[in-house]
Amino acid sequence: MTTSMKTTPLEINGTTYQIEASPSRRLVDILRHDLRLTGTKVSCEVGRCGACMVLVDDVPHNSCLLMMYQCEGRRIETVESFPEEDALTQAFVEEGALQCGYCTPGMMISLRGLLRSGRAETKEALMEGLSGNICRCTGYGGIHRVLDKITEEGLS
Amino acid sequence: MTMTKQQVWRPWTLQEVVSLTGQLDGRYCFTAGGTWLRTQWEAGTLEEPEHLIAVDRVPELQSGAAVQENYIEIGAFTTLTDVLEHPAVLAKLPVLVEACKQIAAPSIRHQATIGGNICTRTGDAVPALLVYDAVLLWYGSDGLEEESLEAWLMRETEEERLLTAVRIYDAPEEVDDVVFALKSGRRETFIPSQVTVAGRLRIDPQGNVLAAAIACGGGSAVPKRMPKTESLFCRSSTRKLFPALMHDEIKREYDPPSDVFASAEYKKRVAANLIVGEWYRKGRDHAVST
Amino acid sequence: MITLYLHEQKRGNRRPDGMKKASGRLQYLTDLNQEGQLYGAVKRAGMPHAVLKQVDIDEARALPGVHAVLTAADVPGWNGFGIADPNQPVFCTDHIRYEGDAVAAVAADSPETAQAALNLIRIDAEPLAPLDSPAEALKPGAVHLHPEGNVLHTTAFHHEDLDKAWEHCRWIVEETYETPRQMHGYMETEGGLFLPEEDGSLTVHAPTQHGYKDQMQLARILGWHEAQIRIVSSPIGGSFGGKDELNVQPYGALLALHTGRPVKIHQSRQESVRAGLKRHPMQIRMKTGLDQHGRIAAHEVDILSDTGAYATLGGPVLQFATEHAVGAYRMGAVRVNGRAVYTNNGVAGEFRGFGGNQVIFALEGQLDRLADKSGIPPWELRKRNLRRMYDPGPLEQEVAPNNGPRDVWEAVQRSLLWQKPKRSRSAEEPWLVRGIGVSLAMHGSGLGYGIPDPAGGELRLTKDGRIEAAFGHEEFGQGLLASLQEMMLDHFHCTKDDIRLTIGDTSLVPPSGSSTASRSTNMMWQALQRMVPGWKKQLFTAVQQASGVPASRMETGPGGIFRMEGGTQQELLLSYQEAAALADITEAVSFHFPVTPDPIIGGHYLYGSTAVITEVEIDQRTGAVQVLEAEHVVAAGGVVYPIGYLGQIEGGSVMALGFTLMEDTVMEGSVCRTPNLDTYLMPTIQDVPGYQPVQAVETLPPGDDYGPRGVGEIGSVALAPAIAEAVYQASGVRVERLPIDREVLVDETAWMTAAEGETIG
């Protein structure tokens, strides 16, 4: 049993941070505000846009919906933990899967989670996996092309 | 920006839960995945309580889905993703599977729990559970209690007990002849439901309906079983569908409220169309196979 | 004509900001933090209409951790903003005109404390009945929202004698169309970082579509000289017109100056929805008549635009709608009247398409209805009425020769999608019906006659040896940097490393006008056309003095200046860095967007054209409409950056899909009922056609040297009427109101009857 402000160890991108905060503090605030890890974006704050997506134990989660206590003992990965240049980021740029880019980190995290889960074999599975990520710029045309590349050429 | 100054309590046992709720005297809220609570807090439609009682450590809630001799039990803290991946659920409860697949998006389903979905009273899993005659297990000051989901939905009292699990007795040995869970909203996916229907039909080789369970809900409507519609189904056969008759009966029986996005009449028609559509499919299959 | 997006085709270089965005490494302005910063927050009225008596800030000011609480009394300059008419108060003084009206602003140590302080501010106000529609606001005796009354702007365009023209009409259609209060829905909500500098100046890091305009508006509010304010305005996480107007900048600036500390503001989505701009809902009545030859003999239009509480660009949007209510067609007699009316329904303002989307939906709807009535096939009917190359523009003004409408018309004739049967019903699932529709539109570029539309740029050779192009334009995702890079590479035959692209910072760039109205690509193209020869001349002259090689034998290339012989590149004469040491090589230009010589307010001179063919599927059980295919033809001059061009059309198209099928900011009694993305629904990846073929007609009329037209808006203007026609083909139901109400498409009788024919006995 526990209460109020406390120090909680959080494993983020391989580093354990001691976060002093209310256990109900949102993960997105810990990332963006406390740790200045601003690669994770914030947009709707109710889990409906996917801009704040992070991996928790390899699985995509909306960091606006997670409270600190829910993250204890779990492995959190943000967009910063992935390389700047790999097959997926290149495909995004080359296929026009981003414009303003604000939804992109969340989109990437959802895709990386899917690819890691081994369930990214069909286009349908990939689309389902991205159905919680809103992109307002591209109309998803470029994103569809990236998904085609993944399913046709096995990009990973 | 949300105020996050609550005290969070994380009891280990049901006894601790009860003693906490006594101590905190209504100034608390249970939380599991927390996805629905956060949405309401942000919208300002629900005040953030002083105390959160997180139920993630209570073992009774964490049983996942377990198959017992005469029932399947799903712990309240089981995420929708885990519900969707459990072999017993996949094998025995196809209506629930279809319903859960249509809730929110994958990332939400990784966090949101079946218990939370039920406790909203209007969750999209509820019609599916209704057609399986699901029973809820509650823990409160009087200890553990069972109550049918249908009976609980009809009561409008503020719930102070903790939902620990949902049970489905007599899960069908084999898959029903017709199973469906359909949801309609304002776009293709990740939608607040306007109409959600669920159903199971047992049909003999001649096409006579032996048993029917149908439920409707969606939007702010608390889902309900549809006994009159069920009874009509039980007098029907896939050899002769009478879709218009069926349609009228559903519209008579289902009584949802209007909201800013859709009229009651629309919801009635959609519910009737979705159910009759499934009936048509079965009739067509029957016609093709005979 | 080229089909964009084919794997084997030249795709252009990677966009310069691409990898940083893809990897999440790009810092947006709302990602910035500064040591010692305070957190700003704005107290919004939270009620749509009231007499404001008093704002009590004492308790908020006394809260520990609060550094400033400001109200109207703390605005040193003009208490108002608005691009065209600054009538939106920074802080309300006596009249609350919409939910999002600001009454106070707070700076505090933490976001939580700032929020707590907002909760302590007491608004003493007497509620007034909300004017929740233009009709209410126009009633005699309605409260005046502004000194001039409740009409922001009216337009009137008359051509020939309309009353007489009806006599020649064999077929007449009259209909009233309504369009929704669409939200821009940029993913990055408004915000930024505001820094008081040691020299007393102010640096603003906040997204906008026109840095210099923000500078002017902020200077007016602060009572400062513009030069005291530096605006850093890119990169931007989406805008679509929505960040063209000021939003949080006045509050950030005032709080920073008041506290002497850096101030960060980042609005929540809910605040963004309630306070921010929307697309103008319009009610458009059209009465259109065809003569016996199928020519439009008479066309009467009334536009009623709900402009919300303040002016911003509500006037110019109405102007644009007025012109585009005639569009690409030549008509006998025309009368268009428009009114933009103040209400308490939020604030409507600039939004991709700029009033075109609404009237094009209505106009194309008229043509489809007339086709039905007259029996002339819809596409044939359009051809009979389309403008020809040298015809005047929609307002009878002189325009650049323009064959775009006919070019896109021809291209549709060749489309395989257009050859398909216009309607069908699924055999397996009889509730699924499909239909095909097509529509056409012409859309103006630039701001139009009577609105200052300046452009300009600068070319420099930097000391570290880069060819730097500086423009006062902004990158909000549209790919402006990528287009500029392509143009620079074409001009200088150099490498990407030889180039520096500078935008979005008033301390580094010249004024170039706004990044709106599909004008930026065109303006940069024209600016480079004007600057490059002079700049190269300066450069080559300097190199000639150093090398002895005649300037006429030089050309720029990878890494530096080369000697040329017979058009082929010889040895490198000097690197760019070496050349930069010789002289200051700078060329600047400022000019005006090409404008019609005829003094007709709002009339355009340059246009792009488009046609869209779409196939939809309706589920008659629910009334859901799924867009299966959308094929676009766009005539807008040469393609600068193929993947960017394609992306503008795809993205604009899906935005139009949302406009047509699901998006609306629902107001009840002027209170927003869709304040977040759980109720305001935008398309997901499951709602869109996966592949939208886009054909670009690159041909321009002979002698047209205006260059590539922008395509930022044109993808969003013509899909709605095509969907409406496809829906009609599929279901027999005509829709006049967007988003399409599913209720009108539910049809149990139709699908059951069809089913009965098969198996249900």
Side-chain angles (χ1 to χ4, degrees):
Chain A
M1 295 234 235
T2 175
T3 58
S4 194
M5 294 288 277
K6 72 166 276 197
T7 302
T8 303
L10 288 190
E11 190 197 322
I12 298 166
N13 300 338
T15 304
T16 301
Y17 296 88
Q18 300 295 329
I19 308 291
E20 202 194 324
S22 160
S24 66
R25 187 165 176 76
R26 303 183 307 180
L27 179 60
V28 69
D29 296 326
I30 294 169
L31 295 173
R32 285 184 58 84
H33 186 276
D34 303 350
L35 301 176
R36 302 277 198 251
L37 289 170
T38 54
T40 301
K41 303 305 180 198
V42 63
S43 186
C44 77
E45 304 180 82
V46 290
R48 298 308 197 279
C49 75
C52 69
M53 206 69 81
V54 297
L55 293 181
V56 181
D57 292 338
D58 299 320
V59 176
H61 277 70
N62 303 78
S63 63
C64 69
L65 296 178
L66 277 167
M67 296 185 254
M68 181 170 75
Y69 84 86
Q70 293 172 303
C71 302
E72 200 179 339
R74 302 171 81 180
R75 196 160 37 80
I76 293 156
E77 291 165 272
T78 70
V79 73
E80 284 91 349
S81 70
F82 293 94
E84 183 162 348
E85 188 138 2
D86 70 1
L88 195 59
T89 55
Q90 282 172 22
F92 256 63
V93 177
E94 281 156 16
E95 298 300 333
L98 62 82
Q99 287 180 25
C100 90
Y102 200 81
C103 74
T104 312
M107 202 69 81
M108 282 285 171
I109 290 288
S110 287
L111 264 181
R112 291 187 191 280
L114 270 169
L115 292 170
R116 212 183 265 182
S117 73
R119 289 175 203 176
E121 281 170 13
T122 64
K123 178 92 181 274
E124 288 67 33
L126 289 165
M127 283 170 61
E128 164 74 10
L130 290 186
S131 61
N133 292 85
I134 301 285
C135 170
R136 189 55 157 173
C137 294
T138 64
Y140 306 97
I143 295 162
H144 269 288
R145 290 189 283 276
V146 170
L147 301 190
D148 286 340
K149 241 185 186 173
I150 292 172
T151 46
E152 286 162 21
E153 298 167 30
L155 175 87
S156 63
Chain B
M1 180 63 64
T2 305
M3 306 295 291
T4 45
K5 293 207 174 125
Q6 300 102 342
Q7 298 205 335
V8 178
W9 305 80
R10 299 175 76 189
W12 291 96
T13 66
L14 288 173
Q15 287 75 18
E16 281 181 18
V17 171
V18 169
S19 82
L20 264 175
T21 55
Q23 245 173 281
L24 299 175
D25 190 30
R27 290 169 296 137
Y28 68 90
C29 177
F30 290 121
T31 176
T35 55
W36 177 231
L37 286 177
R38 177 64 65 190
T39 308
Q40 294 177 90
W41 293 339
E42 286 295 330
T45 51
L46 185 73
E47 190 123 346
E48 291 187 48
E50 282 174 63
H51 301 274
L52 280 179
I53 303 179
V55 298
D56 56 328
R57 285 171 169 168
V58 182
E60 283 84 349
L61 275 68
Q62 300 214 25
S63 52
V67 186
Q68 304 297 332
E69 199 173 325
N70 64 338
Y71 61 85
I72 297 175
E73 179 171 309
I74 307 171
F77 195 70
T78 309
T79 65
L80 297 171
T81 301
D82 287 342
V83 170
L84 280 172
E85 289 178 356
H86 196 278
V89 176
L90 287 171
K92 302 235 171 194
L93 307 174
V95 184
L96 183 61
V97 171
E98 278 311 306
C100 288
K101 273 188 198 165
Q102 297 170 67
I103 298 175
S107 59
I108 311 272
R109 296 199 293 267
H110 297 325
Q111 189 176 334
T113 64
I114 187 78
N117 195 272
I118 294 168
C119 287
T120 64
R121 297 166 66 89
T122 55
D124 287 323
V126 174
L129 290 168
L130 278 175
V131 301
Y132 286 117
D133 298 308
V135 168
L136 305 180
L137 269 67
W138 297 98
Y139 194 84
S141 46
D142 299 332
L144 210 54
E145 296 170 306
E146 276 197 24
E147 182 177 18
S148 87
L149 170 62
E150 193 177 5
W152 177 72
L153 289 173
M154 284 182 191
R155 290 196 294 113
E156 298 212 349
T157 52
E158 187 113 323
E159 189 54 69
E160 287 178 356
R161 300 168 301 173
L162 176 65
L163 179 68
T164 66
V166 53
R167 267 184 200 174
I168 289 151
Y169 287 94
D170 301 318
E173 278 309 303
E174 52 201 281
V175 172
D176 296 296
D177 301 288
V178 174
V179 293
F180 59 89
L182 299 165
K183 172 176 170 179
S184 175
R186 290 182 286 133
R187 68 181 172 199
E188 288 298 312
T189 187
F190 201 6
I191 32 170
S193 159
Q194 287 182 327
V195 176
T196 305
V197 298
R200 301 164 55 201
L201 299 176
R202 305 305 293 274
I203 299 174
D204 74 12
Q206 287 72 46
N208 301 311
V209 176
L210 304 173
I214 308 282
C216 293
S220 60
V222 176
K224 274 187 205 151
R225 281 285 287 268
M226 305 270 288
K228 287 180 184 158
T229 302
E230 290 170 1
S231 150
L232 180 59
F233 266 110
C234 288
R235 286 178 274 130
S236 304
S237 156
T238 53
R239 280 171 286 129
K240 192 90 177 140
L241 297 174
F242 297 114
L245 198 73
M246 214 59 107
H247 203 274
D248 287 345
E249 183 65 51
I250 297 165
K251 280 199 295 183
R252 258 196 303 278
E253 188 168 18
Y254 184 50
D255 188 23
S258 293
D259 59 47
V260 303
F261 302 110
S263 71
E265 179 60 20
Y266 171 77
K267 294 178 191 178
K268 280 167 177 269
R269 291 171 71 193
V270 171
N273 272 326
L274 291 175
I275 295 167
V276 176
E278 294 309 296
W279 180 233
Y280 166 79
R281 267 187 227 275
K282 188 63 194 173
R284 195 172 186 277
D285 290 351
H286 186 92
V288 169
S289 67
T290 54
Chain C
M1 183 151 72
I2 61 167
T3 301
L4 293 169
Y5 192 70
L6 290 172
H7 272 288
E8 62 273 19
Q9 195 188 327
K10 172 180 176 265
R11 307 284 287 282
N13 292 289
R14 279 186 188 172
R15 54 186 296 159
D17 52 356
M19 295 311 290
K20 277 204 148 56
K21 285 180 171 177
S23 61
R25 303 299 198 272
L26 186 82
Q27 286 239 303
Y28 292 80
L29 302 174
T30 50
D31 291 335
L32 300 179
N33 291 289
Q34 177 88 356
E35 211 48 51
Q37 73 192 14
L38 300 172
Y39 295 84
V42 181
K43 178 72 177 177
R44 306 280 173 185
M47 58 188 91
H49 197 197
V51 176
L52 178 61
K53 292 178 160 171
Q54 206 197 329
V55 183
D56 181 354
I57 59 171
D58 293 349
E59 267 185 86
R61 203 170 253 169
L63 187 72
V66 171
H67 293 255
V69 183
L70 307 182
T71 63
D74 302 297
V75 180
W78 177 256
N79 181 21
F81 60 92
I83 294 174
D85 173 3
N87 72 351
Q88 175 161 3
V90 175
F91 295 113
C92 288
T93 51
D94 53 2
H95 196 166
I96 289 167
R97 297 180 186 86
Y98 84 111
E99 278 187 288
D101 252 333
V103 295
V106 168
D109 286 337
S110 70
E112 289 81 4
T113 306
Q115 185 61 47
L118 292 188
N119 294 340
L120 293 174
I121 295 171
R122 309 259 171 264
I123 300 174
D124 181 7
E126 201 168 287
L128 296 168
L131 304 176
D132 61 359
S133 67
E136 280 298 315
L138 290 173
K139 279 187 180 161
V143 174
H144 281 192
L145 291 171
H146 293 280
E148 69 272 26
N150 290 338
V151 176
L152 162 67
H153 189 61
T154 58
T155 57
F157 169 66
H158 298 179
H159 176 62
E160 302 295 345
D161 189 338
L162 183 73
D163 296 327
K164 265 206 190 133
W166 297 117
E167 292 165 18
H168 308 293
C169 293
R170 181 156 168 210
W171 299 283
I172 295 174
V173 162
E174 182 172 357
E175 190 60 80
T176 300
Y177 301 84
E178 284 177 53
T179 62
R181 195 182 314 279
Q182 187 178 29
M183 180 167 80
H184 303 75
Y186 33 76
M187 296 312 290
E188 182 196 32
T189 55
E190 306 82 354
L193 185 63
F194 302 82
L195 304 174
E197 304 288 356
E198 281 181 12
D199 63 1
S201 69
L202 175 74
T203 302
V204 172
H205 298 264
T208 176
Q209 288 184 221
H210 192 178
Y212 277 98
K213 183 69 80 178
D214 280 20
Q215 184 189 50
M216 181 277 276
Q217 290 216 67
L218 283 177
R220 190 165 59 191
I221 290 164
L222 298 176
W224 280 17
H225 292 295
E226 290 170 18
Q228 291 171 278
I229 302 168
R230 173 185 169 207
I231 307 281
V232 181
S233 39
S234 287
I236 302 169
S239 183
F240 315 109
K243 293 171 184 163
D244 193 21
E245 186 58 88
L246 286 184
N247 43 72
V248 300
Q249 294 91 335
Y251 313 103
L254 288 166
L255 290 167
L257 293 178
H258 204 87
T259 59
R261 303 258 301 260
V263 169
K264 175 172 179 145
I265 300 185
H266 194 179
Q267 291 204 124
S268 72
R269 174 63 61 181
Q270 285 210 66
E271 188 173 1
S272 169
V273 175
R274 288 212 163 96
L277 302 182
K278 305 288 178 298
R279 192 186 290 288
H280 285 81
M282 289 186 189
Q283 198 185 71
I284 303 151
R285 187 187 67 85
M286 282 189 181
K287 184 178 170 189
T288 313
L290 292 185
D291 67 15
Q292 57 188 354
H293 309 293
R295 307 259 177 170
I296 301 171
H299 185 51
E300 184 180 33
V301 182
D302 280 306
I303 304 169
L304 191 58
S305 172
D306 180 351
T307 207
Y310 297 107
T312 182
L313 292 183
V317 167
L318 181 68
Q319 212 72 67
F320 197 97
T322 301
E323 181 188 21
H324 288 74
V326 177
Y329 304 104
R330 296 298 296 154
M331 301 173 174
V334 180
R335 183 153 72 210
V336 186
N337 287 301
R339 278 176 299 175
V341 180
Y342 289 120
T343 67
N344 297 118
N345 295 333
V347 181
E350 39 278 42
F351 194 158
R352 188 185 219 171
F354 211 71
N357 318 45
Q358 296 93 319
V359 292
I360 289 165
F361 168 63
L363 177 59
E364 291 296 285
Q366 288 294 93
L367 281 151
D368 285 330
R369 283 161 179 77
L370 283 166
D372 234 20
K373 202 160 186 176
S374 65
I376 303 168
W379 204 232
E380 165 63 23
L381 177 62
R382 283 169 173 87
K383 188 185 188 184
R384 288 190 199 175
N385 290 283
L386 277 184
R387 60 164 286 115
R388 292 172 193 281
M389 176 120 59
Y390 298 102
D391 279 338
L395 301 178
E396 298 298 317
Q397 81 276 30
E398 183 181 330
V399 298
N402 178 0
N403 204 47
R406 287 187 175 263
D407 290 339
V408 298
W409 190 94
E410 289 293 339
V412 167
Q413 289 292 87
R414 295 189 289 273
S415 155
L416 292 178
L417 181 58
W418 185 234
Q419 313 299 326
K420 277 177 72 173
K422 298 292 175 280
R423 68 188 66 84
S424 62
R425 182 181 292 274
S426 160
E428 289 74 33
E429 300 179 288
W431 45 82
L432 297 181
V433 288
R434 291 184 177 190
I436 290 180
V438 63
S439 71
L440 185 149
M442 186 171 90
H443 199 262
S445 324
L447 303 180
Y449 185 92
I451 304 173
D453 203 355
E458 221 170 284
L459 267 181
R460 309 162 184 145
L461 188 58
T462 67
K463 291 296 159 204
D464 62 348
R466 306 291 172 89
I467 309 171
E468 181 184 36
F471 286 97
H473 289 300
E474 313 294 345
E475 174 64 63
F476 32 86
Q478 78 278 42
L480 179 123
L481 289 171
S483 296
L484 180 54
Q485 176 174 276
E486 294 295 316
M487 292 190 274
M488 291 286 282
L489 293 176
D490 277 354
H491 276 293
F492 295 105
H493 325 290
C494 57
T495 71
K496 284 192 275 181
D497 292 339
D498 296 323
I499 291 171
R500 181 167 297 147
L501 309 175
T502 302
I503 60 159
D505 182 341
T506 54
S507 71
L508 302 174
V509 302
S512 305
S514 62
S515 304
T516 63
S518 304
R519 70 192 292 283
S520 310
T521 300
N522 184 257
M523 291 294 85
M524 294 191 305
W525 186 89
Q526 291 202 35
L528 289 175
Q529 293 292 117
R530 289 160 202 239
M531 292 191 292
V532 169
W535 187 86
K536 279 187 179 173
K537 193 174 169 198
Q538 285 187 47
L539 175 67
F540 296 160
T541 307
V543 177
Q544 177 177 330
Q545 281 164 7
S547 67
V549 176
S552 59
R553 297 262 178 89
M554 289 181 205
E555 188 48 278
T556 53
I561 301 94
F562 289 80
R563 188 172 67 80
M564 303 295 287
E565 216 170 272
T568 54
Q569 191 177 292
Q570 307 297 316
E571 77 278 6
L572 177 72
L573 296 172
L574 280 181
S575 73
Y576 290 120
Q577 192 165 359
E578 289 163 340
L582 301 175
D584 177 16
I585 317 281
T586 300
E587 186 82 12
V589 69
S590 65
F591 58 106
H592 197 274
F593 192 94
V595 72
T596 175
D598 295 326
I600 297 172
I601 297 292
H604 285 78
Y605 189 63
L606 300 181
Y607 299 83
S609 297
T610 186
V612 188
I613 313 158
T614 188
E615 181 174 23
V616 306
E617 183 172 83
I618 303 171
D619 185 334
Q620 292 184 318
R621 295 175 305 172
T622 61
V625 178
Q626 175 86 322
V627 175
L628 303 173
E629 306 272 352
E631 227 179 86
H632 304 258
V633 189
V634 179
V639 175
V640 177
Y641 180 55
I643 202 84
Y645 190 119
L646 175 64
Q648 284 307 302
I649 304 307
E650 290 172 330
S653 171
V654 166
M655 199 167 241
L657 184 153
F659 172 75
T660 312
L661 297 181
M662 66 187 79
E663 295 185 35
D664 190 14
T665 312
V666 177
M667 309 292 284
E668 276 187 329
S670 297
V671 173
C672 176
R673 295 298 181 208
T674 51
N676 205 332
L677 305 186
D678 53 346
T679 43
Y680 187 93
L681 302 185
M682 303 193 286
T684 73
I685 193 166
Q686 310 270 19
D687 294 281
V688 305
Y691 171 57
Q692 299 185 55
V694 177
Q695 294 194 327
V697 178
E698 296 191 281
T699 329
L700 288 171
D704 184 318
D705 56 0
Y706 299 109
R709 324 300 198 233
V711 291
E713 298 174 282
I714 198 152
S716 74
V717 300
L719 181 64
I723 291 176
E725 171 65 8
V727 161
Y728 172 71
Q729 290 299 334
S731 67
V733 178
R734 285 279 182 210
V735 291
E736 299 86 38
R737 227 174 127 239
L738 301 181
I740 296 176
D741 182 359
R742 291 183 170 205
E743 193 154 356
V744 304
L745 298 180
V746 179
D747 196 341
E748 47 279 86
T749 313
W751 79 257
M752 283 186 199
T753 308
E756 212 165 325
E758 294 178 51
T759 48
I760 312 185

